[in-house]
Amino acid sequence: MTPPQSVLRGLTSGGGLGLAGLVTVVLALGLLFLSSAGRIDRWPAEATSRAALEAATPTLRRDGFVGSDACVACHPGEHASWAATYHRTMTQRATETAVLAPFDGRELVGVDGVYRVERRGEEFWVRMVDPERKLAAAEAGEALSAGPEVWRRVVMTTGSHHLQVYWVASADKRRLLAFPFSYLIADQRWVANESTLLRPPEGDAVYTWNQVCIQCHAVSGIPGDFDEAGPAGASTSSVAELGIACEACHGPGEAHTTRHRDPTARYGQHIAGGADPTIVNPARLPHDRASELCGQCHSAAVFADENAWRQRGPSFRPGGRLGPDLQVVRHPLRADQPWLDDLLLQDPGFVEGRLWGDGTIRVVGREFSGLLESPCYQRGELSCLSCHQLHGADPDDQLAPQMDADAACTGCHPSLATAEAAAAHSHHRADSAGSRCMNCHMPNTTYGLLGASRSHEIAVPEVDAQLQGARPNACNLCHLDQTLRWTAEHLRRWYGAETPTIEAEHREVAAGLAWAVAGDANQRALIAWHMGWEPALIASGDRWVAPILALLLEDPYDAVRYIAGSSLARLPGYEGLGYDYVGAPSSRAATADEVRRRWRSGGDARRDPQLLRDPSGELRRAALAALLADRDLRPIDVRE
Amino acid sequence: MTTQSKPDPRIRHHLSVGWTTIALAALFGLGLEAMHGLKLASYLDLDAATRRHMWTLAHAHGTLLGLLHLGVALTLRAAPELLADPSARLAGRLLLAATVLMPAGFLLGGAWYYAGDPGLGVLLVPVGGFALIAALVLLAIASRRP
C-alpha cells in the first residue's frame, strides 16, 4: 500500500470521522488564511465604500457607448497606448491608485480657515469650510466668510499631469464641489486652487464639476439637474466614461462592437479594407473634420443650446461638424458672430479671458481656436493629426516623431528644409533657435497650468505697437533685451514689414523689460516664463534678467510669482533661494532682496540703456519706477 | 539471445512522425523563447498579442500531436490486431492530417494577422481539429472491437 492510500484509508476507516476531520482542518486553514489577510472584515466595508464612491460620482451611461474596456480585446495596443496618456486619467474616481497627493493628516491654511486632509483606509477625507454655505453666500451676492467646518469624502480627481484637483460630493444637492486646495505634482505640494490660476487675487471660489468640467473631462457628459436638491451623495450627472476615452474620438462604439462580434463581419472588413462604417477613425477624416473632433474640447466654444446640452448631452459626434452643437468663439475683430453679444451680456469677460487683443488665443487647451485662424488650416490641409498622434507618442504633448522640430513644417514647405534655406529665410544662424520654425511662427504666447506653451495659430511675427493688452511678439520673446523699435526695424529690413508707430517709451525700453514691469498680468507671466527659457537666455543673456524676476517675485498675482520663482531657480547663481510663492509677503520681499544682492555681486556687465542701466550698471530706479507706475492694472482672469 | 521481429511499418511511421513533430515543436519553442529573450517587438508588443497567442498554440499543438502519434504507435504495438482494422487505418491518416493542419494553421494565423484576429491561415485549424476528433473517435471505436 502506498503512503497516500494508507493515509486515505486511515482517514475513512472510522465511519467517515476521519474525512470529516480532514474537511474541518481544510476549512479551518482557509478561514485562518482569510482572517490573517484581513479580508473577512474588509470585504463588506470595502464593498460599501466602493458603492458610495460610485453613487457619488457621475453615473456611467450606455446609450450607444460601450466604454474602453470593450475595445481592449481587439485593440490591445491602442488601448494600452491610450491608457498611458493623461487623457485617460483626466477624471478618475478617488481610489488609492488615482490620488497623487499625500492625505497624511496635514493641515492647510486657506483664506477662510484651516483645512485638513487625511486618509481612512482606502478612503480620502477632507475637513473644509462648508462649501454649500459658501456657494449660497456667493449666489446671494454676499462676501464669502468663514463658516462651519464639515468633513467630506473626496470622491473624484481631475488631472494627473501638472496638478490634481479633488472633488467632494455636495451634501444637499447632487453635484461635485472642489476642495479648495490642489496638488502641484512636480513641486509635490498643496496649494490653494486660486494660486494655480492667473486670476486677480480676490480670495476664494467654489467650483462645480457638473457645470463646466463635465463637458470635456469625460466622454459625452450630461450635467442633468445637478443643482436641484436631492439625496446626499447621489449624482444625477451621467457620462459614457470618466476621463477622455476611446469613444471621445472614435464615437459611440456599440454598433461597432455588436457588428464585430460576428467573425464573418470582422473578416469581411479585414479583407475588404477601407473605412469601417460602424466606427470613426480620425486618421481617415478630412483635415477639418479631424481637427473639429479635437476642437470639441480644445477650443474656446459655447453650446448653441446650453439647455439642450444640460439635459441631453452633446449632440456632436466624431466625424461630424462642430457647428450645429458648438460655436467656436472668435474675436469680434475677426468674425461677425451676432450671438456673441448675448454671451458677453452673460459673461463680459468671456472673450478677454480667452483671447488676446489681436484675436489670438491666450489660454492653453484651446489649440483648435488657434489652428482655425491659421493659413495652413484655412488654405492648406493642416490638421491636429499632422503633428500629434494619440497612440504611442510621448504622453507629455502627444507629438508624432520629429514633430517637435522643423520637420513639422518642412513636410509642406520643402523649400525651407535645408539649413541654408532656413538660415536665409530666418536671417539667423541655421543651428540657432532663431532658425527653428516654431520659435517664430508658433511662439509661446498661450498661458496655462502655471506656464507658457506654443500658440497654435501659425502666424508671421509682427510688432504690435501697443503695450497694453498686446500679445508679445515672437522676436522679442527671444530678444527680451531689445526694443520694439529694434524688432520693427529688422522685420522691415528683412521682410518688408510695415513699421508701426511706436510710442516713445517702447522705442527706448527693451520689450521684455517693459512687458515684465508695465505689462498686464498675462504679459508679465509670459515674460517671467521666457526669462527662464533657454533660447531666450541664449539670445538675450541670462545675467540681466535676475533683478526683473526679483521684481516679479512680489507680483500681486500668485501665478506670476510662481513662474518668476521657477525661472529664477533655473538661472545659474540663484539656486537654493527657498522662495515660496504663496509664503508671507515679508519672506517674498526678503527673497527678492537676496536675488538683487546676488545679482549685484554677480558681475553683470550689461550697460544697455534699453535695460534701464546707468553707466555703472545699476538700474535707473526713477525710470523703473515710472515704468512700474505705468503698469497695466486691468484685472486679468485667464479662463483655463 | 532472443531475436525481436521488426515492428510494422505503420508503427514505425507513427514513431517517426511523432518524434519528428516533437523535435520541430521543440525547435519552434526554442525560437519563441529566443524572441522573449531578445525582446522582439514584433512578437512581444501588445499589438502582437494575436501573433504571440497563435504561435504559442502552434507550439503546444505540435508537441501534443507528436505525443499522440507516439501514443498511437504504442497502442498499435499493444494491440496489433488494430493494424488490420480499416477504422484504425483511417484514423492514422486523419491524425497525420491534423498534425500538419493544426500547427500550420496557428503558425500562419500568427504570421499574418489582423487587429485582434488571426490571419486567414487559421482556417486550417478547424479542419485539422475535425480530423483530430474523427481520428480519436475512430481509434476509440476500433479499440472496443473484440
Side-chain angles (χ1 to χ4, degrees), chain A residues 63-134:
Chain A
D63 52 342
F65 294 90
V66 290
S68 53
D69 287 349
C71 309
V72 68
C74 293
H75 308 284
E78 287 83 355
H79 187 277
S81 58
W82 160 75
T85 67
Y86 298 110
H87 273 135
R88 179 184 68 82
T89 49
M90 178 57 85
T91 308
Q92 300 175 90
R93 290 195 174 115
T95 61
E96 58 186 337
T97 52
V99 173
L100 300 174
F103 280 69
D104 51 4
R106 73 179 67 189
E107 293 190 329
L108 306 166
V109 180
V111 290
D112 54 0
V114 178
Y115 292 69
R116 186 179 168 88
V117 293
E118 69 177 39
R119 189 163 171 175
R120 301 175 187 173
E122 293 186 354
E123 297 178 2
F124 300 88
W125 287 78
V126 291
R127 189 185 69 203
M128 59 193 294
V129 175
D130 188 350
E132 282 83 22
R133 191 173 152 136
K134 283 163 78 170

Side-chain angles (χ1 to χ4, degrees), chain A residues 73-78 80 266-267 270-271, chain B residues 46-47 49 114-120 122:
Chain A
C74 293
H75 308 284
E78 287 83 355
R266 286 204 306 278
Y267 278 94
H270 293 324
I271 293 164
Chain B
L46 270 172
D47 282 331
Y114 308 105
D117 279 317
L120 288 174
V122 82

